[in-house]
Amino acid sequence: MTILQEPAFAKVNLTLDVLGRRPDGYHDLKSVMQTVSIRDDVTLTLGTGEPWRLTCNWEDIPTGPENLAWRAAETFFRNARRDPGGLTIDILKRIPVQAGLAGGSADAAAVLRALNRYCDFPFSILALAELGSLVGSDVPFCVLGGTAMVEGRGERLRKLPDLPECFFVVCKPDFSVSTPELYEKLDRTAIAKRPDHRAMESALLAGDLAKVAENLWNVFDPVVTAEHLELNYIKSICNTYGSLGQQMTGSGSAVFAMMPSFEYAAVVCNMLKDNYPQVYIARSV
Ligand code: C5P
């Protein structure tokens, strides 16, 4: 038996624009995504000689072929024309679920990276990201990681300059948002403000953290905040205690704040933790 271990990092959306509905029912996006250090740990055991199995320390996570990590393994072996001779996937989950942090996609990307390494790199990183797009929209970015412009359904990636060292506070409130319903709601809403991608790219190129924070914008944020005013409460705590900028990530419901130092992040974390057990300090990765 062979045991492979791989970290799976969460993402936040520094920007997120929804451009329109496609013929396949999905929406085209344009988003600057950033990997952050909240991580799951994925362990693969190959050659078990038994039927495939998936375990996870969080009860609500599906443990069958519908889990993105399982689908990633299937997709990899099919395309690499290999057979692991039995596989167990163990996921130690720390990334909050239904949060907009791409936890499931991060696990899937970790599976792809680990298997590609084990098989001596049959796929380039971009080919591996392309395989990821067969598994889920956020998987290609999670394969690449870092700071990147993501377009289409998530399959078109362009590496951007790394975000300068930055601490994030990430806070997941107790409610979740249905992603399909949110897209439908957005279809019925006139989008009043969209992210300024040119300004965001310039800020990244200049390594100007304050400007990056100034240009955070996610078109889903006002739609979700209108129904869940508690997001404003979380954002106002972040803002009051020194955040450079804050907003919801992905389709929510987690909010992240960019903090100027670990110390500031610790203060915000302390202010939120009594009301919000799922609050974390993270670094950009
Ligand atoms: O990617 P995920 O499976 O989380 O998407 C859930 C739903 O959100 C999709 O079935 C679709 O209705 C909607 N969606 C979309 N456009 C995207 C991503 C998701 O319309 N780019």
Side-chain angles (χ1 to χ4, degrees), residues 30 247 274:
K30 184 163 183 173
Q247 76 176 358
D274 288 342

Side-chain angles (χ1 to χ4, degrees), residues 25-27 29 137 153 179-180 183:
Y26 278 81
H27 291 73
L29 310 176
S137 308
R153 244 184 82 179
T179 306
Y183 274 100

Side-chain angles (χ1 to χ4, degrees), residues 75-283:
T75 304
F76 181 89
F77 286 119
R78 192 172 59 245
N79 283 275
R81 298 199 175 81
R82 302 273 291 247
D83 181 348
L87 173 72
T88 301
I89 304 172
D90 296 302
I91 300 172
L92 176 62
K93 186 147 277 301
R94 302 190 194 86
I95 303 172
V97 299
Q98 298 200 303
L101 294 164
S105 301
D107 297 341
V111 167
L112 291 175
R113 276 196 310 266
L115 292 177
N116 201 38
R117 197 175 56 236
Y118 170 69
C119 293
D120 222 3
F121 302 99
F123 302 105
S124 70
I125 190 81
L126 287 182
L128 201 63
E130 215 174 305
L131 274 193
S133 70
L134 303 174
V135 179
S137 308
D138 287 334
V139 181
F141 170 74
C142 292
V143 167
L144 186 70
T147 311
M149 182 70 80
V150 179
E151 293 183 76
R153 244 184 82 179
E155 74 285 2
R156 288 196 347 248
L157 302 173
R158 180 161 55 87
K159 190 91 192 72
L160 295 174
D162 286 337
L163 190 70
E165 164 98 330
C166 174
F167 288 92
F168 291 87
V169 170
V170 177
C171 179
K172 164 74 173 69
D174 206 18
F175 68 89
S176 298
V177 179
S178 153
T179 306
E181 280 175 26
L182 189 53
Y183 274 100
E184 275 169 30
K185 214 169 282 170
L186 199 71
D187 283 339
R188 299 192 300 270
T189 310
I191 298 176
K193 181 179 168 185
R194 293 179 182 273
D196 182 344
H197 279 115
R198 196 173 292 184
M200 177 56 89
E201 284 201 49
S202 305
L204 287 167
L205 199 60
D208 187 335
L209 217 46
K211 277 263 180 320
V212 170
E214 230 172 75
N215 283 289
L216 296 178
W217 193 257
N218 172 356
V219 295
F220 284 132
D221 182 318
V223 182
V224 177
T225 303
E227 284 183 11
H228 298 277
L229 292 177
E230 99 179 90
L231 292 187
N232 274 340
Y233 169 75
I234 297 169
K235 287 183 251 175
S236 73
I237 295 283
C238 298
N239 191 31
T240 304
Y241 292 95
S243 153
L244 301 169
Q246 57 282 315
Q247 76 176 358
M248 195 182 76
T249 176
S251 56
S253 61
V255 167
F256 70 92
M258 291 174 61
M259 307 305 302
S261 70
F262 177 80
E263 287 71 20
Y264 276 87
V267 170
V268 168
C269 210
N270 262 327
M271 297 303 296
L272 289 170
K273 75 175 187 324
D274 288 342
N275 287 331
Y276 299 100
Q278 292 195 82
V279 60
Y280 307 84
I281 297 176
R283 266 186 315 102

